[in-house]
Amino acid sequence: MSITAGEFKSTLARWPSGVSVVTARQGERLTGMTVSAFCSVSLSPPLILICAANTSETCAMIQGCGRFAVNVLASAQREISQRFADPELEGQRFDDLEFHFGKSGMPILAQVAASLECKLVHNSVQGDHHVLIGEVEHAEHNDRSPLLFHRGKYHDLAD
């Protein structure tokens, strides 16, 4: 017995998640995508996991350059989440957006709650997504409250 895609999505919407933007760079080309499938895998070595649709331009660039950054969005960055999730803005996501290049050369968005710069160490296809595991080579964080997503809406973390 199997469930429908709609039932699966509706059920998973009950799990609150942080909101991250994964970014990559190859030469002068920049790309990025909003992801909610992001988690830690290992402390030693420091590994994280992200999932990206098989059709994602960002996923293809990560595979090509072997590096990526995870930008954990702060609560005031809802517009950035929407910008990097909108497929019609694929080539314009970095337009008029404040960012800098991290130690690995990957784009790090301004004012995020945290950032992790990673080297791709594993890639596998699972269903309609790639599961990408990155070894964290550099990380930064601050005290900004993270942006949360639950049941199709953005939320702030209550103290």
Side-chain angles (χ1 to χ4, degrees):
M1 183 170 156
S2 155
I3 65 171
T4 68
E7 290 171 320
F8 186 57
K9 187 175 179 178
S10 180
T11 300
L12 292 181
R14 273 46 180 185
W15 174 254
S17 67
V19 183
S20 303
V21 169
V22 173
T23 56
R25 173 187 183 192
Q26 199 164 26
E28 296 302 312
R29 247 178 88 223
L30 305 176
T31 189
M33 64 184 175
T34 300
V35 299
S36 57
F38 158 65
C39 66
S40 63
V41 174
S42 167
L43 289 175
S44 183
L47 301 174
I48 58 96
L49 174 149
I50 62 168
C51 294
N54 293 342
T55 57
S56 164
E57 181 179 313
T58 303
C59 183
M61 189 177 291
I62 291 169
Q63 292 168 323
C65 71
R67 298 197 169 280
F68 61 96
V70 177
N71 297 269
V72 178
L73 297 185
S75 61
Q77 295 181 307
R78 294 176 187 201
E79 184 276 326
I80 291 174
S81 172
Q82 293 165 336
R83 175 191 293 214
F84 279 84
D86 187 341
E88 292 187 21
L89 297 176
E90 183 76 45
Q92 306 159 22
R93 291 181 176 156
F94 286 89
D95 292 357
D96 301 319
L97 187 64
E98 190 178 341
F99 68 94
H100 69 276
F101 295 112
K103 291 184 178 190
S104 66
M106 296 299 106
I108 305 297
L109 305 179
Q111 307 298 314
V112 294
S115 64
L116 302 98
E117 296 178 65
C118 305
K119 173 178 66 174
L120 181 64
V121 295
H122 182 75
N123 174 20
S124 69
V125 177
Q126 300 297 322
D128 58 2
H129 277 65
H130 281 257
V131 176
L132 305 170
I133 296 179
E135 182 171 353
V136 180
E137 296 180 317
H138 183 72
E140 293 185 9
H141 65 276
N142 55 58
D143 289 331
R144 289 184 186 94
S145 186
L147 180 61
L148 302 177
F149 198 72
H150 179 245
R151 295 180 75 175
K153 296 179 183 174
Y154 293 104
H155 298 275
D156 295 326
L157 184 64
D159 289 332

